[in-house]
Amino acid sequence: MGASLELVEDGSDASFTLKAVPPVGYVWPDIRLDKQDAQSPIILVTAPGAMGKSAAAQAIAARTNAPFVDLARLAIGSNSLTGLLTTVLGWGQASSLVAGLHSGKMSLVLDSLDEAHLAAGSTHFSAFMRNIADLARGAEPRNQFLIFGRRDTLETAYLALADQGIEPDQATIASLTYQQSCDLINLVLDQTIVDGHEYTNHRTHAQPFATHRDGTLQDMAAALGSDKSTAAQAWPEVGSFLGYPPVLLVLSKHLAVDNFAATLASRVKDGALAERSVKGTLLREVVEGILDRESAKVRSQLPDALGYSSLDPEIGLLYSRDEQVRRIANYVFDTPLKIDLPNSLPESTRIIYEDQISSFLPDHPFLDGRNIGNVVFRDYIYAFMATSPHYGLHGEARHLVASMQPGPFLVHFVEAMAARENDLGSAFLREEMIDAVIKSHNAGTAKPGPFLYSQFGDRAHLVLSDNPNLAASDLSSISFEIEDVSGVIELRSPIARGYVFSTDGGLTISSGTDEILLGPEFMVVVAVLEMRAKNLLATSHDGQKGMTEGLGAVLIVRDSIDHDPEMKVRAVPLGALNVSFPEIWHQFRQYRMESGLAPVPSVDENVSWQVMFGIRRILSVFQSSVKADPSIYRERIDRITVGSNPVFRATLDALIEIAVISVETNLYRLNLAKLAEFGVNYAAVRGTDFASKLKQLHAEVCKKAPVLALLRGDAT
């Protein structure tokens, strides 16, 4: 800036600053041009909500010694910018500034174009853009007019300027790099108070803190799908989320611990549980911290607009997490979700409030234009609606949830947010969400483990394993109790590595295409099966060349099956499909399997098959070992493998009664010698012909009273 330009004392304007003050402790982000050969006097700079557009505008104005204009404080319109410059600087200095702008020796920073647009309306906005075009016409193409605002407003500004014969350049404030993010974390912690004292450990113990910080960032990078060994290496993949300032502001509070060594030791010890905690609890903390910051920011600006005192409790009821999620859903998905405001809020105040919120919402950190900014935010909104008792998945909310695609974080958010009977119990899950959480679990794991859905009477249970090895079903698995069991669930193709047991219920398998894909390792034992597609393909291949999982699809139906009469059925290889249907249709006859079950008079074959799979599942949990008689913690079998399935519980009790499994203080131990008496070894349990290998053991288990009662339907 030229030294001759000074603020005129009696002509100052609150919207105009000749000497911008740089933000305290500012971390400079990268600003990326949409094209490298910038050849315009005007550059439009945008960023996602809460990325720091205004801070960047002020910092650039301070560094370049350029005048700074806050357009949110200016009534824009015809010649309003020219008038402002003349009023503040006087004719002589305003002329000098315009000459400097034309030559490219001076710059002008205009901030908050979006807020000015909202306040002025379309007609005045167009006139203002003509005023800018007139000032820039004929100027050197050096990006000396910098205009900051939201993407939607800047798109309108681009078209308006282009109509005036000036095509502006465009730039975006990028997410912070790894080093920039570390710098921001340090600056946030410099201002953090813990237990009434300033937090200083990140400065006084810089190296241990850096290890703690990078470990947490690496955990989050892994949760986001990166396989890189360090956070810095993973940043190109995950920086769009982890380098987002609102995320870093909340994460910084989480990093403010005293004992770095204990935190690191806990992370290493917990292993898979720690990873689940990152995906569910920590990411939820980050996301909800962003929502709460937005609530506080918006509420701080409401009292003046609404005529309320800042201490009025009514303010604290507005712009809650629930309200934000609903408004975002309405904004992005164009749904009419109802927004519940306090009944005591007068109608006139409601109108003002709605007008205020309409100006805040487009800049919400969750949003990128008219879209949700990333999959973490999208999965949170999905989970929030799916678990909130207020929504209940009815009406518009149910339709919205049904239309959303589950991402890899949905299952973890749902588990973290859902209600439980008690702290140790499984999370409750609505029946219509079963397929979504299965798909989410699969999306979040390179090679997911199997899922198990079991239903008996009005109780149903879903377990999602975190390990592809069936034997590794452990405490890191995710389990849900199903709410309001109807007995009929729907799963969407493709479906693999799963078990569906429903004693009296049914399964519907649908597809977004005309083909249902099943397998490998997919087993169904239900009373009723419906398949909605024209083609069915079953396979035992896992998708890797030359690799096979062994089992393909096993479909066992007790009462009835419904499908297109012209359905075409294929299995690759031929043995990848095995079915047992009543009144079997011609398409399935070549895949019909003999039951392989020991004959037990007057029993429910559906339950008998569940016993067979229960034996296989329980025995498979014991890892093969060079030691005799492998053992496993009882809680792993009781809570995860058996869960609330009464058939599996009775099967376990029978295996204990015949001494195949023994009970110790906190362990179950597998008696290999006793197992051998029934002609069974560990390999037989996992083989493709497990039913024939387990036939003798199955017959013995079925003789025991708890199992026999279930088989005959007289269990209470």
Side-chain angles (χ1 to χ4, degrees), residues 410-687:
L410 174 68
V411 61
H412 301 283
F413 281 143
V414 167
E415 188 199 20
M417 297 162 69
R420 285 174 164 78
E421 188 172 346
N422 54 62
D423 290 342
L424 298 177
S426 299
F428 290 116
L429 180 73
R430 291 189 173 93
E431 195 175 61
E432 53 263 62
M433 285 295 296
I434 290 174
D435 184 69
V437 298
I438 291 173
K439 296 294 191 291
S440 172
H441 181 257
N442 291 346
T445 308
K447 191 174 182 183
F451 72 86
L452 167 66
Y453 170 81
S454 60
Q455 178 264 326
F456 195 96
D458 61 355
R459 297 294 302 274
H461 191 69
L462 177 68
V463 177
L464 304 167
S465 174
D466 283 353
N467 194 296
N469 182 0
L470 182 64
S473 179
D474 56 23
L475 293 179
S476 66
S477 297
I478 301 173
S479 63
F480 295 101
E481 292 289 336
I482 308 304
E483 290 185 289
D484 302 325
V485 176
S486 71
V488 179
I489 65 168
E490 180 174 354
L491 300 181
R492 290 177 62 84
S493 167
I495 313 171
R497 299 177 187 86
Y499 306 82
V500 177
F501 303 133
S502 184
T503 306
D504 297 305
L507 168 67
T508 296
I509 302 175
S510 61
S511 175
T513 66
D514 281 337
E515 184 170 58
I516 289 174
L517 303 176
L518 300 180
E521 191 89 13
F522 179 59
M523 303 182 188
V524 173
V525 181
V526 294
V528 177
L529 175 64
E530 178 184 5
M531 292 185 283
R532 299 174 182 167
K534 296 184 179 299
N535 301 282
L536 170 66
L537 172 62
T539 180
S540 60
H541 293 290
D542 68 354
Q544 300 181 36
K545 186 175 181 180
M547 299 295 291
T548 178
E549 293 284 341
L551 287 179
V554 179
L555 309 177
I556 299 169
V557 182
R558 184 189 65 193
D559 295 338
S560 65
I561 177 170
D562 181 32
H563 61 78
D564 189 316
E566 303 301 321
M567 173 183 274
K568 295 184 172 70
V569 179
R570 294 184 300 133
V572 180
L574 187 63
L577 178 62
N578 290 276
V579 304
S580 176
F581 299 157
E583 300 180 1
I584 193 165
W585 291 54
H586 66 89
Q587 299 99 318
F588 291 97
R589 284 176 186 161
Q590 64 176 320
Y591 305 109
R592 185 166 193 167
M593 61 184 289
E594 297 299 326
S595 72
L597 301 178
V600 181
S602 304
V603 303
D604 186 335
E605 188 176 19
N606 181 297
V607 179
S608 184
W609 268 111
Q610 286 201 49
V611 173
M612 173 66 79
F613 288 121
I615 293 171
R616 180 178 186 260
R617 180 169 175 81
I618 292 168
L619 296 184
S620 295
V621 172
F622 293 90
Q623 296 278 7
S624 58
S625 172
V626 294
K627 298 179 180 179
D629 296 344
S631 63
I632 194 168
Y633 284 109
R634 290 176 61 181
E635 185 182 2
R636 297 189 178 187
I637 289 184
D638 291 339
R639 187 170 74 85
I640 302 298
T641 305
V642 172
S644 61
N645 188 319
V647 177
F648 287 5
R649 170 55 58 187
T651 301
L652 175 60
D653 291 342
L655 289 170
I656 294 171
E657 184 178 344
I658 62 179
V660 167
I661 294 175
S662 60
V663 182
E664 300 179 7
T665 304
N666 61 344
L667 299 173
Y668 286 123
R669 191 172 298 279
L670 183 62
N671 187 336
L672 296 178
K674 188 67 176 179
L675 196 62
E677 293 179 12
F678 296 96
V680 178
N681 56 37
Y682 189 80
V685 173
R686 297 196 55 78

Side-chain angles (χ1 to χ4, degrees), residues 48-51 175-176 181 184 235 239-249 290 363-367 374 377:
M51 186 68 205
S175 299
L176 300 183
S181 298
L184 179 59
W235 216 259
S240 61
F241 179 76
L242 290 184
Y244 189 31
V247 171
L248 292 167
L249 292 175
I290 292 172
D363 209 33
H364 196 285
F366 281 17
L367 296 173
N374 58 61
F377 296 153

